[in-house]
Amino acid sequence: MIEQIVFTLAFVSAFGLFFYRLYRIYKYIKIAKPLKLKFGFKRVARVLKIAIAQSKIFKNPLVGLLHAFVFWGFIIVNVEMLEITIDGVFGTHRSLSFLGDIYPMMIAVFELFALSVIIACVIFLGRRNIIKLKRFWNKEMTTWPRSDANIILITEILLMCSVLIMNATDTVIQSFGNEHYPKVGAFLVSGYLTPLFSGMSESTLIFIERFCWWFHIIGVLIFMNYVTFSKHLHIFFSFFNVYYSKFSPLGKMMNIPCVTNEVKIMLNLPSADPCSIEQTNQFGAKDAQDLYWKNLLDAFSCTECGRCTSVCPANITGKKLSPRKIVMDLRDRVEEIGPKAVKQGNNFNDGKSLLDQISTEELWACTTCNACVQECPVNIDPLAIILELRRFLVLEKGSAPGPINAVFANIENNGAPWQYSADDRMLWAEELSFKSK
Amino acid sequence: MDNNQLKVPVMAELSAQGKSPEFLFWVGCAGAYDDRYKKVTRAFAKILLHLNIDFAVLGNEERCTGDPARRAGNEMLFQMMALTNIEVVNGYNVKKIITICPHCYNVFKNEYPELGGAYEVIHHTQFLKQMIDEKKINIQNSEYINKMITYHDPCYLGRANEEYDSARDVLKQLGANLVEMKRNKNSALCCGAGGGQMFKEAEPGNKEVFLERTEEAIDTKAAIIASSCPFCMVMLTDGLKYKNKEEEISNLDVAELLANAMEL
């Protein structure tokens, strides 16, 4: 009975904390500027393709397969959470075993996926720590991001191992004829582990079995909450992020309608209503709340895989810019200002900004080539953030590099980025003739 | 004056005669001013004239689309250029625009519509492919048969607008042996010029982007690097010079290759 109460309390409080934290993140994301994105079946189709079928990770088929093992493994093994929850609340054991012959088959599937998760996670640990794949060791991958990744992988391995050991000991206990342990037979994978436990006493085995059961469920409950503070949040957010990601060709940049209105007034063109002072008090972004909420959702969806950075022409050639760092800096900044910004709204000001973390050197190294956007497996758009920050630098601070300012002046005065006269625009057509044959 | 001299139709003159040509050929700033890219403009114009396409250019009325300003953060200047250009282009009742610059192409296709400038926008490689498909261009004895050619995807045509095939199809029609760089199509490496980089020194690093890309092109052992963007052309041509390869490997636009094969 005490066990049931402890279980129920742990279960309810873990889920309570989990949903509260998600609600907090939702509020944090809402500190940013509004953006209306319409529902569409095309969006749903894209979630199926990119988030569920993970088409972009399969660009590297082997890694795609391993990642799919972990993804599907985690989803399917969590179906077993259903049984664990029923057993925990009602003090039963293997409550789903009434399914009869289907039950061992179901557990066999769970175990196969558990095994595949273990194999994939071991390989992933090796790639990070032994092979030391470059993108896991870039500058922004400091101690915490690297540890975060390892904690996640090790936890997943331990959680899966606990399921297999639990099942193996259960099989041995069944042979003692303990009536609390229904005879469901050996399972596909853990069956091979039973020799390890064959010499043990029933009480030892029950202790191990119970320990693994508790380890698994408490582990899952803690891990679930850990994830919301970790890069691993992508397991929940990537679906939403893909759903809301932009559809228009990647080359299309977001318009600022207020600027259009101002320019129309300047040029004496018929214009819509001028924008309110609130809308026009700042162009571009210097901090998280000046961006759009989708940019912030991007930041929470990033699992720091670094594919963006590994294809960035600036980063490849040794420049300071790393699209992943931009996204990570944004998330850190949102976590930093979130609690106060939610309370204080538009009045929030802590004397700091996102531009304290992201230098102009990084921002001016971008070629806007869209390689990072193309590459992201969950459709994060680091370029949109970079461009909004650039807009602030230019429109609000007037701090473009000298040669860029010269280009602006030329475009304004001559209608071309170079200092040539518009009267020379047809020089190319002089003495044009077909080759004489 | 030479009798063979070709006359490029200008929109204002045709308009004065009450004509409105089917296509506006948007030359772009590089096409008008950059000495190297002027040759591409000439090659493409010759193809248009040879095919008797009903087109005109804006000539002195053309202005920068504002793309470099927008990508460098100057939204105000971009919108000034955009709205001014749209006024001029709409004034001539233009429906179709052909451009020889992927940056102009992207802005016209994706960014002008919400500012009041909606047109059918065609990149010159798309137009050339269409002409070949419609059998308006027939290549008999291309000098590029079995020549190894590699094609560099411009970011603003490729990733930005998912146009990867037109240029390649034209090159195949030339009989070329098309070889791909390691990073191609949607994984293609940028030449290093976009987003305003063309006009400034690179930020501190250990290599120039254009060299990284040029090396990749050289690795294909191709005799010709084909491109379809004025900025990529500047970068790759510089890269070849830097690598002392400009004698062995040439960097030509798809329009130039086709014009050569057509002996124009």
Tab-separated table of all heavy atoms in Angstrom, chain A residues 59 249 251-253 255 260 317 319 364 366-369 374 390-391 394 403 407 415 421-422 425 428 430-432, chain B residues 5-6 33 42 60 62 64 70-72 75 79 106 111 114 156 159-160 186-187 190 194-195 197 199-200 206-207:
chain	number	residue	atom	x	y	z
A	59	LYS	N	19.679	11.724	-44.507
A	59	LYS	CA	20.676	12.150	-45.481
A	59	LYS	C	21.940	11.299	-45.293
A	59	LYS	O	22.625	10.964	-46.239
A	59	LYS	CB	20.988	13.634	-45.253
A	59	LYS	CG	21.694	14.281	-46.400
A	59	LYS	CD	21.871	15.757	-46.156
A	59	LYS	CE	22.806	16.326	-47.197
A	59	LYS	NZ	23.190	17.699	-46.871
A	249	PRO	N	9.809	29.847	-50.339
A	249	PRO	CA	11.186	29.482	-50.672
A	249	PRO	C	12.141	30.036	-49.620
A	249	PRO	O	11.901	31.113	-49.065
A	249	PRO	CB	11.409	30.173	-52.012
A	249	PRO	CG	10.069	30.478	-52.547
A	249	PRO	CD	9.137	30.564	-51.406
A	251	GLY	N	14.739	31.500	-49.840
A	251	GLY	CA	15.324	32.797	-50.171
A	251	GLY	C	14.497	33.986	-49.728
A	251	GLY	O	14.987	35.113	-49.695
A	252	LYS	N	13.247	33.748	-49.380
A	252	LYS	CA	12.373	34.878	-49.056
A	252	LYS	C	12.613	35.388	-47.640
A	252	LYS	O	12.534	34.656	-46.675
A	252	LYS	CB	10.918	34.441	-49.202
A	252	LYS	CG	9.963	35.588	-49.020
A	252	LYS	CD	8.527	35.156	-49.149
A	252	LYS	CE	7.646	36.349	-48.820
A	252	LYS	NZ	6.241	36.004	-48.757
A	253	MET	N	12.854	36.685	-47.550
A	253	MET	CA	13.090	37.299	-46.245
A	253	MET	C	11.811	37.936	-45.746
A	253	MET	O	11.013	38.447	-46.531
A	253	MET	CB	14.155	38.384	-46.403
A	253	MET	CG	15.274	38.293	-45.405
A	253	MET	SD	16.524	39.537	-45.783
A	253	MET	CE	16.431	40.520	-44.297
A	255	ASN	N	9.224	40.488	-44.434
A	255	ASN	CA	9.045	41.920	-44.659
A	255	ASN	C	8.808	42.649	-43.335
A	255	ASN	O	8.370	42.060	-42.361
A	255	ASN	CB	7.842	42.109	-45.585
A	255	ASN	CG	7.782	43.512	-46.147
A	255	ASN	OD1	8.800	44.186	-46.255
A	255	ASN	ND2	6.586	43.960	-46.494
A	260	THR	N	7.649	49.594	-45.072
A	260	THR	CA	6.983	49.823	-46.360
A	260	THR	C	6.118	51.083	-46.286
A	260	THR	O	6.166	51.933	-47.183
A	260	THR	CB	6.094	48.613	-46.734
A	260	THR	OG1	6.844	47.414	-46.521
A	260	THR	CG2	5.647	48.681	-48.176
A	317	THR	N	35.565	27.970	-42.844
A	317	THR	CA	36.801	28.681	-43.153
A	317	THR	C	37.333	29.451	-41.941
A	317	THR	O	38.038	30.453	-42.090
A	317	THR	CB	36.590	29.640	-44.339
A	317	THR	OG1	35.489	30.509	-44.025
A	317	THR	CG2	36.282	28.881	-45.607
A	319	LYS	N	35.921	31.278	-39.518
A	319	LYS	CA	35.359	32.502	-38.944
A	319	LYS	C	34.653	32.182	-37.641
A	319	LYS	O	34.302	31.045	-37.355
A	319	LYS	CB	34.369	33.166	-39.919
A	319	LYS	CG	35.049	34.048	-40.962
A	319	LYS	CD	35.299	33.298	-42.213
A	319	LYS	CE	36.005	34.109	-43.284
A	319	LYS	NZ	36.485	33.231	-44.360
A	364	TRP	N	28.430	39.667	-39.085
A	364	TRP	CA	28.878	40.142	-40.405
A	364	TRP	C	29.634	39.089	-41.182
A	364	TRP	O	30.047	39.329	-42.312
A	364	TRP	CB	29.698	41.429	-40.263
A	364	TRP	CG	28.828	42.581	-39.886
A	364	TRP	CD1	28.856	43.278	-38.713
A	364	TRP	CD2	27.758	43.150	-40.655
A	364	TRP	NE1	27.870	44.232	-38.706
A	364	TRP	CE2	27.189	44.187	-39.881
A	364	TRP	CE3	27.228	42.890	-41.922
A	364	TRP	CZ2	26.103	44.953	-40.332
A	364	TRP	CZ3	26.159	43.652	-42.366
A	364	TRP	CH2	25.611	44.672	-41.576
A	366	CYS	N	28.220	36.232	-41.981
A	366	CYS	CA	27.210	35.387	-42.647
A	366	CYS	C	27.060	35.753	-44.118
A	366	CYS	O	26.973	36.929	-44.475
A	366	CYS	CB	25.866	35.539	-41.934
A	366	CYS	SG	24.522	34.647	-42.731
A	367	THR	N	27.017	34.723	-44.984
A	367	THR	CA	26.825	34.973	-46.417
A	367	THR	C	25.353	34.807	-46.816
A	367	THR	O	25.035	34.855	-48.000
A	367	THR	CB	27.667	34.011	-47.279
A	367	THR	OG1	27.131	32.690	-47.135
A	367	THR	CG2	29.127	34.003	-46.873
A	368	THR	N	24.487	34.556	-45.857
A	368	THR	CA	23.054	34.323	-46.087
A	368	THR	C	22.815	33.217	-47.112
A	368	THR	O	21.872	33.277	-47.883
A	368	THR	CB	22.307	35.608	-46.552
A	368	THR	OG1	22.672	35.928	-47.898
A	368	THR	CG2	22.591	36.785	-45.656
A	369	CYS	N	23.661	32.186	-47.084
A	369	CYS	CA	23.591	31.149	-48.117
A	369	CYS	C	22.511	30.117	-47.851
A	369	CYS	O	22.235	29.282	-48.716
A	369	CYS	CB	24.940	30.453	-48.269
A	369	CYS	SG	25.315	29.280	-46.947
A	374	GLN	N	18.829	24.849	-44.585
A	374	GLN	CA	18.593	23.639	-45.368
A	374	GLN	C	18.939	22.399	-44.557
A	374	GLN	O	18.256	21.385	-44.615
A	374	GLN	CB	19.464	23.688	-46.627
A	374	GLN	CG	19.454	22.433	-47.469
A	374	GLN	CD	18.183	22.311	-48.279
A	374	GLN	OE1	17.736	23.273	-48.880
A	374	GLN	NE2	17.594	21.130	-48.284
A	390	ARG	N	21.022	41.845	-37.630
A	390	ARG	CA	21.666	42.781	-38.568
A	390	ARG	C	20.798	44.017	-38.798
A	390	ARG	O	21.298	45.138	-38.883
A	390	ARG	CB	21.897	42.095	-39.919
A	390	ARG	CG	23.209	41.359	-40.033
A	390	ARG	CD	23.417	40.979	-41.495
A	390	ARG	NE	24.641	40.200	-41.662
A	390	ARG	CZ	25.060	39.735	-42.830
A	390	ARG	NH1	24.341	39.937	-43.922
A	390	ARG	NH2	26.181	39.051	-42.930
A	391	ARG	N	19.496	43.778	-38.912
A	391	ARG	CA	18.600	44.916	-39.117
A	391	ARG	C	18.717	45.907	-37.969
A	391	ARG	O	18.726	47.115	-38.183
A	391	ARG	CB	17.138	44.425	-39.228
A	391	ARG	CG	16.781	43.935	-40.603
A	391	ARG	CD	15.396	43.324	-40.627
A	391	ARG	NE	14.943	43.121	-42.004
A	391	ARG	CZ	13.868	42.411	-42.339
A	391	ARG	NH1	13.138	41.828	-41.403
A	391	ARG	NH2	13.519	42.278	-43.606
A	394	VAL	N	22.004	47.901	-38.245
A	394	VAL	CA	22.026	48.903	-39.308
A	394	VAL	C	20.989	50.004	-39.078
A	394	VAL	O	21.307	51.192	-39.129
A	394	VAL	CB	21.804	48.234	-40.685
A	394	VAL	CG1	21.588	49.271	-41.768
A	394	VAL	CG2	23.006	47.353	-41.024
A	403	PRO	N	32.797	49.371	-45.585
A	403	PRO	CA	32.504	49.090	-46.994
A	403	PRO	C	31.015	48.840	-47.249
A	403	PRO	O	30.514	49.146	-48.332
A	403	PRO	CB	33.306	47.815	-47.278
A	403	PRO	CG	34.343	47.751	-46.214
A	403	PRO	CD	33.764	48.414	-45.012
A	407	VAL	N	28.449	50.794	-49.772
A	407	VAL	CA	27.494	50.161	-50.689
A	407	VAL	C	26.117	50.810	-50.537
A	407	VAL	O	25.454	51.130	-51.532
A	407	VAL	CB	27.417	48.636	-50.431
A	407	VAL	CG1	26.206	48.017	-51.133
A	407	VAL	CG2	28.691	47.950	-50.905
A	415	GLY	N	22.055	54.113	-57.509
A	415	GLY	CA	21.183	52.999	-57.875
A	415	GLY	C	21.947	51.732	-58.186
A	415	GLY	O	21.440	50.844	-58.853
A	421	SER	N	27.589	55.641	-62.791
A	421	SER	CA	26.405	56.425	-63.119
A	421	SER	C	25.375	55.565	-63.849
A	421	SER	O	25.726	54.684	-64.638
A	421	SER	CB	26.819	57.607	-64.013
A	421	SER	OG	25.696	58.064	-64.723
A	422	ALA	N	24.114	55.843	-63.580
A	422	ALA	CA	23.044	55.110	-64.261
A	422	ALA	C	23.112	55.321	-65.773
A	422	ALA	O	22.665	54.483	-66.551
A	422	ALA	CB	21.687	55.557	-63.734
A	425	ARG	N	24.630	52.473	-67.877
A	425	ARG	CA	24.052	51.139	-67.779
A	425	ARG	C	23.947	50.398	-69.111
A	425	ARG	O	23.750	49.184	-69.122
A	425	ARG	CB	22.675	51.187	-67.113
A	425	ARG	CG	22.771	51.223	-65.605
A	425	ARG	CD	21.454	50.883	-64.948
A	425	ARG	NE	21.588	50.905	-63.497
A	425	ARG	CZ	21.730	49.807	-62.746
A	425	ARG	NH1	21.771	48.623	-63.298
A	425	ARG	NH2	21.855	49.910	-61.439
A	428	TRP	N	27.356	48.098	-71.990
A	428	TRP	CA	27.594	46.687	-72.388
A	428	TRP	C	27.065	46.388	-73.791
A	428	TRP	O	27.565	45.485	-74.461
A	428	TRP	CB	26.950	45.730	-71.389
A	428	TRP	CG	25.443	45.804	-71.325
A	428	TRP	CD1	24.710	46.577	-70.498
A	428	TRP	CD2	24.505	45.092	-72.135
A	428	TRP	NE1	23.369	46.404	-70.727
A	428	TRP	CE2	23.212	45.482	-71.719
A	428	TRP	CE3	24.623	44.142	-73.169
A	428	TRP	CZ2	22.046	44.971	-72.307
A	428	TRP	CZ3	23.465	43.635	-73.751
A	428	TRP	CH2	22.180	44.062	-73.310
A	430	GLU	N	27.122	48.243	-76.423
A	430	GLU	CA	27.780	48.911	-77.546
A	430	GLU	C	28.569	47.915	-78.388
A	430	GLU	O	29.182	46.991	-77.869
A	430	GLU	CB	28.701	50.021	-77.023
A	430	GLU	CG	27.894	51.219	-76.566
A	430	GLU	CD	28.753	52.344	-76.016
A	430	GLU	OE1	29.998	52.222	-76.083
A	430	GLU	OE2	28.167	53.314	-75.516
A	431	GLU	N	28.542	48.150	-79.675
A	431	GLU	CA	29.266	47.306	-80.632
A	431	GLU	C	29.006	45.828	-80.423
A	431	GLU	O	29.909	45.006	-80.408
A	431	GLU	CB	30.776	47.608	-80.572
A	431	GLU	CG	31.059	48.986	-81.119
A	431	GLU	CD	32.533	49.346	-81.068
A	431	GLU	OE1	33.360	48.404	-81.094
A	431	GLU	OE2	32.833	50.539	-81.004
A	432	LEU	N	27.758	45.523	-80.258
A	432	LEU	CA	27.349	44.128	-80.101
A	432	LEU	C	27.043	43.576	-81.489
A	432	LEU	O	26.297	44.185	-82.257
A	432	LEU	CB	26.096	44.061	-79.216
A	432	LEU	CG	25.622	42.683	-78.774
A	432	LEU	CD1	26.607	42.060	-77.793
A	432	LEU	CD2	24.234	42.779	-78.137
B	5	GLN	N	25.984	45.640	-86.608
B	5	GLN	CA	25.808	45.958	-85.199
B	5	GLN	C	24.383	45.686	-84.734
B	5	GLN	O	23.407	46.046	-85.401
B	5	GLN	CB	26.154	47.421	-84.951
B	5	GLN	CG	26.260	47.699	-83.476
B	5	GLN	CD	27.243	48.805	-83.207
B	5	GLN	OE1	28.196	49.002	-83.965
B	5	GLN	NE2	27.026	49.524	-82.150
B	6	LEU	N	24.295	45.028	-83.586
B	6	LEU	CA	22.987	44.660	-83.052
B	6	LEU	C	22.448	45.750	-82.161
B	6	LEU	O	23.197	46.404	-81.438
B	6	LEU	CB	23.108	43.353	-82.248
B	6	LEU	CG	23.532	42.122	-83.049
B	6	LEU	CD1	23.883	40.985	-82.106
B	6	LEU	CD2	22.438	41.717	-84.015
B	33	TYR	N	27.712	46.713	-65.200
B	33	TYR	CA	28.962	47.412	-64.848
B	33	TYR	C	30.200	46.528	-64.724
B	33	TYR	O	31.314	46.998	-64.882
B	33	TYR	CB	28.782	48.145	-63.509
B	33	TYR	CG	27.726	49.220	-63.531
B	33	TYR	CD1	26.682	49.200	-62.606
B	33	TYR	CD2	27.792	50.272	-64.425
B	33	TYR	CE1	25.713	50.191	-62.586
B	33	TYR	CE2	26.829	51.271	-64.424
B	33	TYR	CZ	25.794	51.230	-63.511
B	33	TYR	OH	24.848	52.214	-63.496
B	42	ARG	N	26.152	40.233	-72.767
B	42	ARG	CA	26.225	40.299	-74.235
B	42	ARG	C	25.889	38.939	-74.848
B	42	ARG	O	25.137	38.857	-75.817
B	42	ARG	CB	27.631	40.739	-74.673
B	42	ARG	CG	27.908	42.203	-74.353
B	42	ARG	CD	29.395	42.532	-74.416
B	42	ARG	NE	29.932	42.530	-75.772
B	42	ARG	CZ	29.939	43.597	-76.580
B	42	ARG	NH1	29.453	44.744	-76.140
B	42	ARG	NH2	30.444	43.521	-77.780
B	60	ASN	N	18.901	52.819	-68.818
B	60	ASN	CA	19.265	53.769	-67.763
B	60	ASN	C	18.211	53.879	-66.664
B	60	ASN	O	18.449	54.513	-65.643
B	60	ASN	CB	19.504	55.144	-68.362
B	60	ASN	CG	20.606	55.097	-69.405
B	60	ASN	OD1	21.346	54.112	-69.478
B	60	ASN	ND2	20.711	56.141	-70.220
B	62	GLU	N	17.013	51.294	-65.108
B	62	GLU	CA	17.149	50.183	-64.163
B	62	GLU	C	17.914	50.639	-62.928
B	62	GLU	O	18.809	51.477	-63.014
B	62	GLU	CB	17.889	49.019	-64.843
B	62	GLU	CG	17.714	47.692	-64.137
B	62	GLU	CD	18.512	46.568	-64.806
B	62	GLU	OE1	18.091	46.079	-65.864
B	62	GLU	OE2	19.554	46.190	-64.246
B	64	CYS	N	19.407	49.124	-58.833
B	64	CYS	CA	19.652	47.977	-57.950
B	64	CYS	C	18.325	47.514	-57.336
B	64	CYS	O	17.499	48.328	-56.935
B	64	CYS	CB	20.622	48.387	-56.849
B	64	CYS	SG	20.837	47.146	-55.555
B	70	ARG	N	19.148	44.788	-48.342
B	70	ARG	CA	18.271	44.031	-47.448
B	70	ARG	C	19.052	42.983	-46.660
B	70	ARG	O	18.898	42.873	-45.446
B	70	ARG	CB	17.159	43.351	-48.255
B	70	ARG	CG	16.181	42.627	-47.379
B	70	ARG	CD	14.941	42.158	-48.102
B	70	ARG	NE	13.762	42.681	-47.409
B	70	ARG	CZ	12.520	42.227	-47.553
B	70	ARG	NH1	12.276	41.255	-48.394
B	70	ARG	NH2	11.523	42.751	-46.885
B	71	ARG	N	19.892	42.219	-47.354
B	71	ARG	CA	20.656	41.167	-46.669
B	71	ARG	C	21.654	41.752	-45.677
B	71	ARG	O	22.060	41.083	-44.737
B	71	ARG	CB	21.389	40.277	-47.672
B	71	ARG	CG	20.636	39.010	-48.029
B	71	ARG	CD	19.497	39.259	-48.929
B	71	ARG	NE	18.475	38.221	-48.860
B	71	ARG	CZ	17.265	38.344	-49.383
B	71	ARG	NH1	16.934	39.452	-50.016
B	71	ARG	NH2	16.385	37.393	-49.278
B	72	ALA	N	22.072	42.977	-45.908
B	72	ALA	CA	23.001	43.611	-44.966
B	72	ALA	C	22.241	44.359	-43.876
B	72	ALA	O	22.854	45.061	-43.072
B	72	ALA	CB	23.954	44.545	-45.704
B	75	GLU	N	16.810	47.615	-44.323
B	75	GLU	CA	15.455	47.402	-44.845
B	75	GLU	C	14.893	48.668	-45.484
B	75	GLU	O	14.200	48.626	-46.504
B	75	GLU	CB	14.564	46.935	-43.695
B	75	GLU	CG	13.170	46.541	-44.100
B	75	GLU	CD	13.113	45.281	-44.958
B	75	GLU	OE1	14.133	44.566	-45.063
B	75	GLU	OE2	12.040	45.037	-45.535
B	79	GLN	N	13.538	48.836	-49.322
B	79	GLN	CA	12.154	49.154	-49.687
B	79	GLN	C	12.102	50.356	-50.629
B	79	GLN	O	11.245	50.410	-51.526
B	79	GLN	CB	11.343	49.439	-48.422
B	79	GLN	CG	11.396	48.291	-47.436
B	79	GLN	CD	10.078	47.559	-47.301
B	79	GLN	OE1	9.093	47.926	-47.926
B	79	GLN	NE2	10.058	46.523	-46.486
B	106	ASN	N	15.664	36.170	-57.109
B	106	ASN	CA	15.038	35.859	-55.819
B	106	ASN	C	14.186	37.012	-55.313
B	106	ASN	O	13.071	36.815	-54.837
B	106	ASN	CB	16.135	35.527	-54.799
B	106	ASN	CG	15.565	35.221	-53.435
B	106	ASN	OD1	14.849	34.241	-53.245
B	106	ASN	ND2	15.851	36.090	-52.468
B	111	GLU	N	10.118	38.525	-53.130
B	111	GLU	CA	9.999	39.644	-52.199
B	111	GLU	C	9.258	40.852	-52.762
B	111	GLU	O	8.692	41.630	-52.011
B	111	GLU	CB	11.395	40.011	-51.683
B	111	GLU	CG	12.002	38.816	-50.931
B	111	GLU	CD	13.384	39.046	-50.359
B	111	GLU	OE1	13.995	40.101	-50.636
B	111	GLU	OE2	13.865	38.161	-49.626
B	114	GLU	N	4.795	41.019	-52.449
B	114	GLU	CA	4.027	41.614	-51.354
B	114	GLU	C	4.208	43.132	-51.286
B	114	GLU	O	3.551	43.803	-50.490
B	114	GLU	CB	4.339	40.943	-50.010
B	114	GLU	CG	5.760	41.063	-49.535
B	114	GLU	CD	6.012	40.183	-48.297
B	114	GLU	OE1	5.198	40.229	-47.361
B	114	GLU	OE2	7.028	39.456	-48.287
B	156	TYR	N	21.319	31.460	-54.268
B	156	TYR	CA	20.012	32.099	-54.426
B	156	TYR	C	19.184	31.512	-55.563
B	156	TYR	O	18.022	31.840	-55.724
B	156	TYR	CB	20.167	33.626	-54.540
B	156	TYR	CG	20.263	34.221	-53.156
B	156	TYR	CD1	21.452	34.234	-52.454
B	156	TYR	CD2	19.118	34.680	-52.508
B	156	TYR	CE1	21.518	34.703	-51.154
B	156	TYR	CE2	19.176	35.163	-51.219
B	156	TYR	CZ	20.372	35.174	-50.549
B	156	TYR	OH	20.424	35.626	-49.256
B	159	ARG	N	19.528	26.504	-53.243
B	159	ARG	CA	18.797	26.370	-51.969
B	159	ARG	C	17.650	27.362	-51.832
B	159	ARG	O	16.560	27.005	-51.389
B	159	ARG	CB	19.753	26.567	-50.798
B	159	ARG	CG	20.365	25.289	-50.288
B	159	ARG	CD	21.157	25.572	-49.032
B	159	ARG	NE	22.236	26.504	-49.277
B	159	ARG	CZ	23.442	26.153	-49.695
B	159	ARG	NH1	23.734	24.883	-49.896
B	159	ARG	NH2	24.370	27.055	-49.912
B	160	ALA	N	17.895	28.609	-52.217
B	160	ALA	CA	16.878	29.634	-51.988
B	160	ALA	C	15.627	29.393	-52.827
B	160	ALA	O	14.526	29.719	-52.406
B	160	ALA	CB	17.447	31.020	-52.268
B	186	ASN	N	21.575	20.938	-53.141
B	186	ASN	CA	21.205	21.646	-51.905
B	186	ASN	C	22.291	21.601	-50.837
B	186	ASN	O	22.178	22.266	-49.812
B	186	ASN	CB	19.824	21.221	-51.381
B	186	ASN	CG	19.806	19.815	-50.847
B	186	ASN	OD1	20.847	19.197	-50.634
B	186	ASN	ND2	18.610	19.295	-50.619
B	187	SER	N	23.353	20.843	-51.061
B	187	SER	CA	24.491	20.907	-50.128
B	187	SER	C	25.638	21.735	-50.687
B	187	SER	O	26.732	21.710	-50.136
B	187	SER	CB	25.036	19.517	-49.829
B	187	SER	OG	24.052	18.561	-49.810
B	190	CYS	N	28.584	27.751	-50.610
B	190	CYS	CA	28.489	29.135	-51.084
B	190	CYS	C	29.846	29.580	-51.638
B	190	CYS	O	30.887	29.108	-51.198
B	190	CYS	CB	28.101	29.982	-49.883
B	190	CYS	SG	28.092	31.746	-50.144
B	194	GLY	N	27.675	36.155	-50.926
B	194	GLY	CA	26.317	36.583	-50.575
B	194	GLY	C	26.232	37.385	-49.290
B	194	GLY	O	27.197	37.495	-48.526
B	195	GLY	N	25.043	37.960	-49.091
B	195	GLY	CA	24.773	38.653	-47.831
B	195	GLY	C	25.631	39.881	-47.608
B	195	GLY	O	25.856	40.285	-46.480
B	197	GLN	N	28.823	40.097	-48.419
B	197	GLN	CA	30.252	39.756	-48.312
B	197	GLN	C	31.023	40.191	-49.553
B	197	GLN	O	32.218	40.474	-49.481
B	197	GLN	CB	30.452	38.247	-48.125
B	197	GLN	CG	29.777	37.660	-46.907
B	197	GLN	CD	30.306	38.224	-45.614
B	197	GLN	OE1	31.448	38.641	-45.507
B	197	GLN	NE2	29.450	38.264	-44.608
B	199	PHE	N	31.115	42.816	-50.996
B	199	PHE	CA	31.579	44.208	-50.984
B	199	PHE	C	32.486	44.535	-49.813
B	199	PHE	O	32.848	45.683	-49.611
B	199	PHE	CB	30.357	45.140	-50.977
B	199	PHE	CG	29.397	44.834	-52.089
B	199	PHE	CD1	28.234	44.119	-51.853
B	199	PHE	CD2	29.675	45.233	-53.389
B	199	PHE	CE1	27.357	43.826	-52.887
B	199	PHE	CE2	28.802	44.934	-54.429
B	199	PHE	CZ	27.637	44.227	-54.180
B	200	LYS	N	32.794	43.545	-48.997
B	200	LYS	CA	33.631	43.835	-47.823
B	200	LYS	C	34.731	42.780	-47.686
B	200	LYS	O	34.692	41.740	-48.342
B	200	LYS	CB	32.772	43.850	-46.556
B	200	LYS	CG	32.122	42.502	-46.235
B	200	LYS	CD	31.153	42.618	-45.071
B	200	LYS	CE	31.773	42.266	-43.737
B	200	LYS	NZ	32.231	40.878	-43.617
B	206	ASN	N	40.614	31.404	-41.152
B	206	ASN	CA	41.874	30.815	-41.614
B	206	ASN	C	41.881	30.524	-43.119
B	206	ASN	O	42.828	29.961	-43.641
B	206	ASN	CB	42.215	29.555	-40.812
B	206	ASN	CG	41.054	28.583	-40.766
B	206	ASN	OD1	40.304	28.490	-41.730
B	206	ASN	ND2	40.898	27.880	-39.660
B	207	LYS	N	40.796	30.919	-43.809
B	207	LYS	CA	40.745	30.657	-45.244
B	207	LYS	C	39.657	31.518	-45.861
B	207	LYS	O	38.697	31.890	-45.187
B	207	LYS	CB	40.408	29.181	-45.452
B	207	LYS	CG	40.650	28.674	-46.842
B	207	LYS	CD	40.418	27.169	-46.883
B	207	LYS	CE	40.836	26.599	-48.214
B	207	LYS	NZ	40.640	25.148	-48.264
